[in-house]
């Protein structure tokens, strides 16, 4: 689904997305996007930040209350604080305007590939990773802490699975980005740090003193509970 109040953007991306074989749903603001989500199955959302009635930030928060699909935010704001705000609210990616349509299509493919890889698959064999009170079901994309389910975005789940499947191994931010985002690392430390922080807020009893995701200063992160 493409959510933008600029008709030129809608028309441009409609051509590129349909050429790639995607079925496109269109909305002009966050309110309309939420209405469409209630009626249709959506695999990915590309959403502008500045829109009437309900902007992309607020819509992103509301979508994250019930859904885990990838969300790519579009914005003319290119400051780091704007990108961090968008990612903190649950977005998986942040693309600044003006953008290269081919680059955006590449990001769409990457997110969909990752979402399908780590998404729900009811016919797959259950594969559990259990670390103390943390339980990660690879097949159903379900994470629980002491029996209570925790909702993660596809990116957060991918990061958690990566480190939980390689306990004790230290992953640099460069490697996490390359493994999870499936693209070369290009000054994306803030992106990784925001996702790690959000992940800790969801799975750690005390995010300031992490029990699961440990920081190895000057190197990166690892999962290796005491």
């Amino acid at each position: 689904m493409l959510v933008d109040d600029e008709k030129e953007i809608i028309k441009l991306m409609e051509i590129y997305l349909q050429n790639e074989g995607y079925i496109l749903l269109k909305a002009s603001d966050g309110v309309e996007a939420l209405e469409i989500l209630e009626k249709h199955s959506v695999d990915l959302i590309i959403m502008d930040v500045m829109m009437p009635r309900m902007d992309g930030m607020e819509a992103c928060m509301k979508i994250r209350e019930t859904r885990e699909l990838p969300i790519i935010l579009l914005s003319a704001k290119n400051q780091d604080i704007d990108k961090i705000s968008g990612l903190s609210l649950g977005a998986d990616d942040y693309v600044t305007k003006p953008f290269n349509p081919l680059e955006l299509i590449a990001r769409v493919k990457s997110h969909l590939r990752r979402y399908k890889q780590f998404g729900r698959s009811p016919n797959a064999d259950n594969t559990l990773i259990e670390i103390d009170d943390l339980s990660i079901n690879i097949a159903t994309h379900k994470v629980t802490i002491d029996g209570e389910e925790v909702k993660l975005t596809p990116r957060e789940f991918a990061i958690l699975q990566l480190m939980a499947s390689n306990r004790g191994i230290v992953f640099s931010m460069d490697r996490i980005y390359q493994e999870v985002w499936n693209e070369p690392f290009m000054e994306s430390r803030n992106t990784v740090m925001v996702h790690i922080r959000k992940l800790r807020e969801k799975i750690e009893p005390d995010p300031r003193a992490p029990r699961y995701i440990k920081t190895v200063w000057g190197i990166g992160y690892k999962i290796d509970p005491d």
Side-chain angles (χ1 to χ4, degrees):
M1 178 165 60
L2 180 58
V3 189
D4 202 311
D5 61 329
E6 294 186 39
K7 294 181 180 180
E8 294 77 10
I9 296 291
I10 293 284
K11 290 179 181 179
L12 175 66
M13 290 312 303
E14 183 174 18
I15 294 172
Y16 280 89
L17 290 165
Q18 290 182 346
N19 283 344
E20 293 292 334
Y22 297 121
I23 298 172
L24 181 64
L25 298 171
K26 296 172 284 186
S28 58
D29 57 48
V31 174
E32 189 176 352
L34 293 175
E35 293 173 351
I36 290 175
L37 279 175
E38 293 299 321
K39 301 175 183 178
H40 300 275
S41 176
V42 176
D43 294 316
L44 180 142
I45 297 174
I46 303 171
M47 184 159 54
D48 188 31
V49 171
M50 301 300 293
M51 295 183 295
R53 293 207 294 176
M54 181 186 293
D55 65 26
M57 295 291 194
E58 184 178 355
C60 184
M61 287 192 294
K62 290 186 176 296
I63 291 168
R64 278 290 173 254
E65 291 175 1
T66 57
R67 291 173 171 81
E68 302 170 1
L69 75 168
I71 299 175
I72 301 175
L73 289 180
L74 303 178
S75 178
K77 298 180 178 180
N78 59 5
Q79 297 299 315
D80 283 347
I81 187 62
D82 299 310
K83 298 177 182 180
I84 292 171
S85 296
L87 295 170
S88 296
L89 293 176
D92 296 282
D93 209 342
Y94 190 103
V95 177
T96 56
K97 296 180 178 180
F99 57 85
N100 184 330
L102 293 177
E103 179 186 349
L104 183 55
I105 291 295
R107 290 176 183 266
V108 167
K109 290 180 178 179
S110 176
H111 283 283
L112 286 174
R113 183 167 57 247
R114 181 64 56 178
Y115 180 56
K116 291 176 181 178
Q117 180 179 353
F118 293 105
R120 299 183 183 277
S121 179
N123 297 320
D125 294 332
N126 285 350
T127 303
L128 278 177
I129 300 176
E130 295 183 329
I131 304 173
D132 296 337
D133 294 331
L134 173 65
S135 177
I136 306 163
N137 191 312
I138 305 302
T140 63
H141 200 245
K142 183 177 181 179
V143 175
T144 61
I145 298 291
D146 198 20
E148 295 292 325
E149 185 172 0
V150 178
K151 296 291 185 181
L152 302 183
T153 68
R155 292 289 194 207
E156 291 166 352
F157 185 85
I159 293 171
L160 181 61
Q161 180 183 345
L162 175 66
M163 291 194 289
S165 299
N166 299 276
R167 290 177 59 176
I169 295 177
V170 181
F171 287 87
S172 66
M173 285 187 284
D174 304 42
R175 186 177 175 189
I176 292 173
Y177 189 86
Q178 291 168 356
E179 293 277 353
V180 173
W181 273 259
N182 254 343
E183 58 186 51
F185 182 84
M186 296 179 63
E187 297 301 324
S188 300
R189 294 180 183 275
N190 283 337
T191 299
V192 175
M193 290 174 64
V194 168
H195 280 78
I196 292 290
R197 177 169 62 80
K198 296 297 291 185
L199 186 53
R200 280 174 166 166
E201 289 173 355
K202 293 180 179 181
I203 71 170
E204 300 284 1
D206 182 1
R208 293 172 296 181
R211 175 181 178 185
Y212 299 108
I213 302 177
K214 305 291 182 63
T215 298
V216 181
W217 294 107
I219 303 177
Y221 303 96
K222 68 175 181 177
I223 287 184
D224 191 15
D226 295 331

